[in-house]
Amino acid sequence: MPKVKIDGVELEVPAGLTVLQACELAGVEIPRFCYHDRLSIAGNCRMCLVEVKPGPPKPQASCALPVADKQEIFTQTPTVQKARKGVMEFLLINHPLDCPICDQGGECDLQDQAMAYGFDRSRYHENKRAVPDKELGPLVKTSMNRCIHCTRCIRFATEVAGVEQLGATGRGESMEVTTYVEQALATELSGNLVDLCPVGALTSKPYAFEARSWELTKTESVDVLDALGSNIRIDTRGAQVMRILPRLNDDVNEEWISDKTRHALDGLRHQRLDRPYVRTKGKLVEATWDEAFAAIAARLNGLEGSKIAAIAGDQCDAESMVALKDLMASLGSPNIDCRQDGARLDGPRGSYIFNAGVRGIDQAEAILLIGTNPRTESPVLNARIRKRYVHGNVAIASIGPAEDLTYPVERLGAGPATLRELVDGRLGFFEKLKGAKHPLIVVGMGALAREDGAAVLAMARELAEKLNAVREDWNGFAVLHTAAARVGGLDLGLVPGQDGRDVAGILEGCQKKEIEAVYLLAADEIDTTKLGKAFVIYQGHHGDAGAHRADVILPGAAYTEKPGIYVNTEGRVQIGRRAGYPPGDAREDWAILRALSERLGKTLPYDTLHQVRSRLVAVNKVFAAIDQQAPAAWGTFGTPGAISDAPFKSAVPNFYMTCPISRASKTMADCMASRAHLMAAE
Amino acid sequence: MAMITADPKDVPQVEHFAFTPEYMAKVEEQIAHYPPGRQASAVIAVLDLAQRQHGWLPRAAMNEVARILDMAPIRVYEVATFYTMFQLRPKGKYLLQVCTTTPCWLRGSDAVMKACQHAADGETFSVQEVECLGGCVNAPVVQINDDFYEDLDEASMNKVLDAFRRGETPKPGPQVDRQTSAPEGGLTTLKGE
């Protein structure tokens, strides 16, 4: 390992680092605009100049200079200071002085670094250049006069998002960052461009002129709009969520989040349930909590347990799910399910999580996608697969929908029959999987949420075992969920008990009048027309499908309004925190269930969040290990059986609207329209 | 400063562009210069061929180049807008690139420019002001399509332009009695054996 001296301090650093990275290890901050850890090195802003010995007698760009043994690096000499000031002066020549009206103001790299290296007046007396603004779609607002040509956005679009649409045209003073042909970016990750832009050239369109960064309260939490569980920071002003930003977590989302995660937040302001309702004479009438509970108690008291059923939604926190499960158990009902889409998953933990972990994707040499379109189901995970592809030496194939995933995929076939052939070793790709040290089999909900889901699951398991993909050091069997609550629900055992009914069975029972009361815990993705004449209790935060059908509505909290535990698709237990309070009379979900249980005379044995969480750990000890991805139990699961000819369909045909929150979001509707326009143009 | 790079919106629409078989053969020859998978390296040469065939580079031509070289269109636009050699608007049959950098200017490029601007009609001639063409010893210099016309003044410039108008191709090089950059009026030294 090379030994370098940074500002007189000797340090041993791993070979292959750049001087800038070595300086970071030494705790020396180097100003930069174009350099970004997760993008290729451009070396064009020249802000990171340092002096290096031995070397030419002039400052060097540290971001593009590899460290060498016995190198001496000086970061604070007068030469370096003067060089950086010179660079800053050049950058500011064409940069407008509009910080007071710029959305980046207060969190702008250029502003911050100008404090350290900027000159207090301008020596430039000519006109500043004017650059026409670009249209990049409904999420990214451009103000191209502010652009300093760091090219981070171009590199992100090309390398991470995999949409080669942004470029730099012209040269010198005429250089422009543009798509040339005016068009929205066809990516689900465009919001990240705004984070990457070190100045105010790319800002968030929905957030434009909404708030200043210093008036926001920041809460670290977890996203629930897909099953990846991206780490987010929720910025609120008063009771309102103003914006959502990614939080760094290399194990999950690196530092990206999808456009839905970031921009569906305006859905939190619309269609909210803010008070209880009771259906009287066919109409939903506003009620007090007391009246709502009374109405429920009147129907449930004395009802046989087998006639009561409960369905948990896709975005429920673990606390409310365990409360629901305990309540159903005390009512004597075995009819409980958390799999609204009917996914055939209820085996050992290893059968329903993304065992390899998101990090495992980086290791895989061969990846098989079964019945999944990761681009719509989890764009950030898809970007991770793309990252693996860009790294090289990986074979990727898919059985299922033919979609552009931003990287080349060998399409083996459309349905379970192809999977059968592959398992039997009759397809060439089998050898590639067999030859890989770390084969990865990603099974999507499109393959499992269907009649023959259990048979497909059994085939996928057979394949994994045949490939020796499940060993001590590696488990390449990976289930990609689409619902943030699903793994948590399965961990807590929200599946039908002895003689219990699953979702399909519950709906069938409703129509046959064998089920008389259904408790929907924020469950909106079922066919509510099939609930028949059953008494429906809907507890949730949005007036979506479930609430429309409900007989009693109990207003709950959305994910930004309650502390909650969520388990992502890898089985990682993560804690979401409260960023604000639910509107009106709405309450935290577990507390509603606890209060209701008392009215039903089956008081649940917990009064505080801490006690609920203890209960979670008692039910399943995985809840005790926060933010860890541990090897899970393996076993025989799935049911070999007949398979159908129907091709696998993606579980998320429309990325922008998948849940009550995104359906209520105007921004998401705009994105959909923009994407439809783009598709029509092609 | 002229905006040479902005996506020109006032150019005529060209719906379709395809290389003729002769040009396609040249394109393939250019691509063959590079190892397989590195065909994108031929982008400048192929763009030049497209321009020679069409006279200028409409977006349809750049898209066709991108398709042939398996590149994202934006990467081709980047190259085409970077080099002043590529014309993104329709040009006359003859492009007059008048050098106005100091040596040419001192030797009377203003008068040459005047003559060129007078002739420019957008169909036969188009004019472009360019920086040093590297022919200072024969200043003033005008590049007409691929050839340099040197040692010009207003009268000789007009003579050259008239010849082009008549459909002739005047002899490139110095327009005075001079061989390349040798002295005017014949050699002064090294006359004998």
Side-chain angles (χ1 to χ4, degrees), chain A residues 2-13 17-30 50-53 62 67-68 70-76 84:
Chain A
K3 257 190 202 148
V4 293
K5 217 176 192 182
I6 299 169
D7 291 339
V9 181
E10 207 159 282
L11 185 75
E12 207 169 319
V13 298
L17 286 196
T18 63
V19 169
L20 189 149
Q21 287 165 327
C23 289
E24 269 183 351
L25 282 184
V28 178
E29 201 178 318
I30 307 277
V50 295
E51 271 191 283
V52 174
K53 259 189 219 167
S62 60
V67 284
K70 299 196 182 98
Q71 212 166 31
E72 272 188 87
I73 301 160
F74 305 92
T75 67
Q76 304 298 334
R84 288 181 187 166

Side-chain angles (χ1 to χ4, degrees), chain A residues 665-679:
Chain A
S665 159
K666 189 182 167 294
T667 313
M668 290 295 103
D670 290 346
C671 289
M672 253 173 77
S674 156
R675 182 59 68 88
H677 183 72
L678 210 63
M679 302 289 257

